[in-house]
Each structure stands twice: as C-alpha cells, then as structure tokens.
Amino acid sequence: MNLHEYQGKELFGKYNLPVSKGIVIDDPENALKACRDIGGSKWVVKAQVHAGGRGKSGGVVLVENPDDAREFAKKWLGKRLVTYQTDSNGQLVNSILIEECTDIASELYLSAVIDRASKKIVFIGSSEGGVNIEEVAKNTPDKIIYESIDPLTGAQPFQARKIAKVLGLDSQQTKQFTPMLLNLMKLFVEKDLALLEINPLVITSGGKLHCLDAKINIDSNAIYRQPEIEEMHDSSQEDPRESEAAKNDLSYVSLDGNIGCMVNGAGLAMGTMDTIKFYGGNPANFLDVGGTATQERVAKAFKLILADPEVKVVLVNIFGGIVRCDLIAEGILAAIEEVGVEIPVVVRLEGNNAEIGSQILLESGVKIESKNDLAEAAKKAVELSK
Amino acid sequence: MSILINNDTRVLVQGFTGSQATLHSEQAIEYGTNIVGGVTPGKGGQIHLDRPVFDTVKEAVEKVNPNAALIFVPAPFCKDSILEAAESGIKLIICITEGVPTLDMLVVKKRVDELGITLIGPNCPGIITPGKGKMGIMPASIHMPGSIGIISRSGTLTYEAVKQTTDLGLGQSSCVGIGGDPIPGSSFIDILKMFEDDSQTEAIVMVGEIGGSAEEEAGEYIKNNVTKPVISYIAGQTAPAGKRMGHAGAIIAGGKGTASDKIKSLKDSGVHIAENLVDIGSKVAEVLGR
C-alpha cells in the first residue's frame, strides 16, 4: 500500500526527521490561508499522487504569490496527472500539498528497501540526488552505497557514518545524519514498510539536511497490525475495478485485449495469459480467483470480467487441486445463470474429478466449450475472440 | 531416494485443529504420510484425527518425536510458530500459510539459517514425494512416482507441471513449492542442490515467474553446479509493467526481474526453456530423449 507524500512526511515528523512546514488542501479556496499560515514569500505546491516524476509533468511548481497557489490547485484538483511512472490514464489528484520553500545547496538520494537477494533491509545512498538516480546507479556505481541492515541487530551508528561518507557530508552534517538514519530504520520496522525513498534529501543553504520528498510503501501483508496506516489508504489512486476486486479477495488487473480470463492461482493466471498470446490472442485481464473457486467467487469474477465491454469470450482455467472439479462445474453453471453471461465461455477443468466436471458442463445445455487440455482451450478462446 | 520427505518422515502439524489443517492432514494421512500429532495452544490433551494434540512443540517433541513440522496457523502467528518449531530442534519446517509480513520473514529466515534448518514457504503448496508422503495442499491424484524433480514458486503452476510429467509417464521424484513471497525460506538453489544429489532424480523442472532475481541466481548456480538437465518455464511473459513508485525498486533490481531477462539468463546457463506453459512435459521428454 502506497502513501501520499504528505502522509509520509507526517510520519517523518513523528520520527523527528526534518521536513518542511506544509498544509494539505483539497479546495483551491483554502490556498491563500494555507500560504499565509505557512508564512514566507515563496511556496512549493505539489500535486499528491501515488507516483514519482511529478516535477517533470508540471505537478510540482514554485510560486511567489498565494494567488498562483490557488490557480495551481484549481488547475489540478480533480484532474489526472500522467508521469513517466504512471500508466497512460495517470493518477487522480485530490489533494495538494503547499510547503514553505527550501533554499537548496545540493541534492542527495537516500532510500531503503527490502532486498530479496540479501534478505535484508538495504539503505541506498548517493551524493547524486534527483530524477536521474537510476542512470547514476547504472553508469557510476561507485557513487552509490548499499548498506545492509542485519534484521536481528538493527541499524548501527557506524553504518550511518559509512553512508554519510558516500553522501559527502561534513562532520556537522554527519552528526545530524546519524540519528536520522536510525530513526528511518525505526520507522521502517515499526510501520512495516516495504520501501522508503527520500529523493531528494537536500542540504540547505544553511548547511542542514532536509527531507524534500517522502515516498513510502507499506507491506500489504502487515496492514492488519498497522491500523493508523490503514486509515491513510486512498482508494482513488487505484483502478476502480481492481479495488472492487480486492474487496472480494480477487486479484484483478485490467489489460487491453478481448479474452477475459478467470484462473485459480497467480502463477497459472499469468501462464494462461502467456498461452493466449502464444496462440495469437490478447488477454483482457489478469484474474486470480484464489485457491478455492466457490460459486460466489466465480460469480463475482464473471461480473468483473463482463464489466469490460471489450471482452468477447471468457476463458476459465481452473486446476482443481483439493477442490473437486464437479463442484466447480456446478459453481460455474450457477454463476453463469446468476450473472446472465451472453458471450461464449470456454472452460478448462483439471485436477480432482475433472472428467465428471466436464460431463456436468456438457450436459447442462448452457453454451460452454469444455476442454480438459489447456492448449485446446486457449486455441478455442483465441478463435472465438477473432 | 527422494528429497525432503520419505517413509521416515514423522510429521507434526502446527495449528492442527483448524479447518484447513484438518482437511489437509486427513488427506495426507490417507496418502500414507506419517502424521504423529499436532500442536494447538490451549487444546493440549485432546485427540484429533486419532492423534494427540499438544500445547507446545516442546511437549510434542518429547512425546512423539517428530522430525518435520507442517504449519497451517494464521499469518499473524507464523513467525512464532516457525521459531517455536526451529528452537525445538525440528530440522524441516513447511509453512503453507499466505500473507506473512515480510519483516517477520527477515527475522525468521536469519534465525533458521543460523540453526541449520530447512524452511519451505510460507505461501506455498508444500512438498510431496509421490507414493511416500506429502506435507501440503496439493492434490495427490495427479502425481506419480518417477524421475523428475519439480521446483516452483507458484501452486497451481506446480500442479500443471506435475500433471504434464505424469501424463507422459515420466512421474516425479519429489515436488517442492517454495512459495511466491519476497523472502522464501528456501530458494531454487537450495532445492536444486538436493535434486542434484538425489539418485532418483534424472531431470529437474524449475517453474519461475516474473519479479525478483531468484531465477537469474538459480541460472548462475546451475551453470557451475548442476549436471542434470534443467527445464524451465517462466510465467508472466506478457504481464504489463506495473505502476511505479520511486526509483529504489529499479535500482535494487539492477535490470533483472522481467520474463525475458530471466529466460535469457537461464538459456545462457544451459537451461532448456519451455516457451509455452503447455509444453513443459513434452520439453522434458524431448531433453531426456523419450
């Protein structure tokens, strides 16, 4: 689960990390008051979306007049911001962060992520902050430090000093940085983060370290024990069909083809999409109905798939596993009747009692193409989609 | 021979009296698996599926001497259950549960490695040695004793590979679902090592998917250490690139993780690639000249 920048900075504030004074607005008319309350004569206005690359797309602007802050809010609130990190639909802007302006002497990069390879939390730091950090990592790897944290001992001050060297901090800044790093680690562990990124971490003209951005992603498996974080969830940043699916414990991603797919298991769902492509078709979605494909779940899955007007045929691929295929077949029939499916449905059942299941589908009188073989089923679905 | 589970495996089921554990324990017992008892805190002293229930793993170890643990407890309690089995001296732990917090797994993984324990999962279908026993949720009926070792990150994709090798009469030596979580207890490499040393295994099927760099690391290992033929299928060749949040993910991935990266790196390591999911079995037969 992702957080907005302003939510991330709220958390930073609670962990004594230096962030700018800022106010979040969701109504342009509050812009003037926000600027006045913050004070000063220059402000940074930032569209809040779950994606990076906002600056390059006009989603972050420096204003010297509160009226311009209001105009910025008018322009963006309710609109979608497209950046190179979003898809082509972009992300809905429903809040704007107004912040005091920081005078920047230099921009650094700092992030922490769970590294699958080393099985540790790894801090990544570089003296070269900004949007080109991936190029820096690729072309000048010596400018980047990767510092792994032992999960049992936690982060130590010497590790902060090591990172500070690569960031090019002087001794005063290193003294400021050391507790910052330990607090970031504390935040990472206490709030079950999966990713934390400060880009840029800046040195101000006064020589102090300051967090100008905050990107935070929380491990979705751990949300159950993070009630404070759960309340920060903003479903407007997700595809509506995907969040509807998530509510029903279905995993769904919409794609641009015309063959609706319903599969049990994420791996097999991806494999089924690949097989459709292999035979020249185009999947309309990824949909994992989960390990136990009950009638209720199958019905919900059909509704989701059929909500996409592009879908011309549905391919159901269920590997029965422990669940008996005859029960799944009955579930599919009941779901088709309940939802009123009018386009062709190709069903491939495999696993326990697969033959009985196919027999049930065959004898039902419902227009279903039943195949035991995945290749046959995929070919048939592709043929019907043309 | 086989790997991980055989006729000498004495299984303790943690979370024994829960509905999923009950269902899958019944099926495992029916398949011939030697389940010696279970643990459900607060239910010690009861009898479940004709086997004793204990409050702690320690008591179970003293009374029924298990050498493997099968965990079905809910995700919030998995860290506790895995560590309990580990600290009680059980050397093989299979955790089926999905949804375990990643930070819990960082600590668990570090500790089980220190203790020299083999942990499979979490979020996995488990392990089976056809004809001998199973610890997991896979349908026994699609398996057949034979010579192919199967390793997979995904449950139903494992079944697909199993079914295809059964249909062609090749059968399986053992099948291991390592699970799809970011921090799995065992990696492809851990299991490849076991299959390489197993006399029953003639060829290894490795089913991977997009994300992470486990397949690339396995490829590197296979090139230098595995003499048996390895056949691989990678799911997610047509999956679109996801929305991104920042740069850290891309920096740490370092250009690995897509299906084409994985397939290229595996091919370079001498692994045989089944391009299409439905061709895993036939690719194995082709490589073995059957």
Side-chain angles (χ1 to χ4, degrees), chain A residues 84-85 119 133-134 146 150 197 219 221 224-225 255 264 268 271 274-275 277-279 321-322 348 350 352, chain B residues 24 27 76 99-102 104 106 110 137 139 141 156 160 163 233 236-238 240 244 246-248 251 276:
Chain A
Y84 73 95
Q85 292 193 358
K119 298 172 185 71
I133 184 68
E134 285 168 46
Y146 300 86
D150 185 294
E197 184 174 85
D219 174 13
N221 283 352
Y224 74 89
R225 63 186 180 195
L255 304 168
N264 66 333
L268 188 57
D274 294 349
T275 301
K277 277 257 171 139
F278 191 87
Y279 293 120
I322 287 301
R348 182 265 185 152
E350 188 52 87
N352 281 342
Chain B
H24 296 296
Q27 300 209 358
V100 179
T102 309
D104 286 2
L106 288 183
K110 170 97 182 177
I137 58 175
S141 61
T156 41
E160 196 68 53
K163 180 76 169 64
Y233 169 76
Q237 297 170 36
T238 58
R244 291 182 46 191
H247 302 275
I251 295 173
N276 186 349

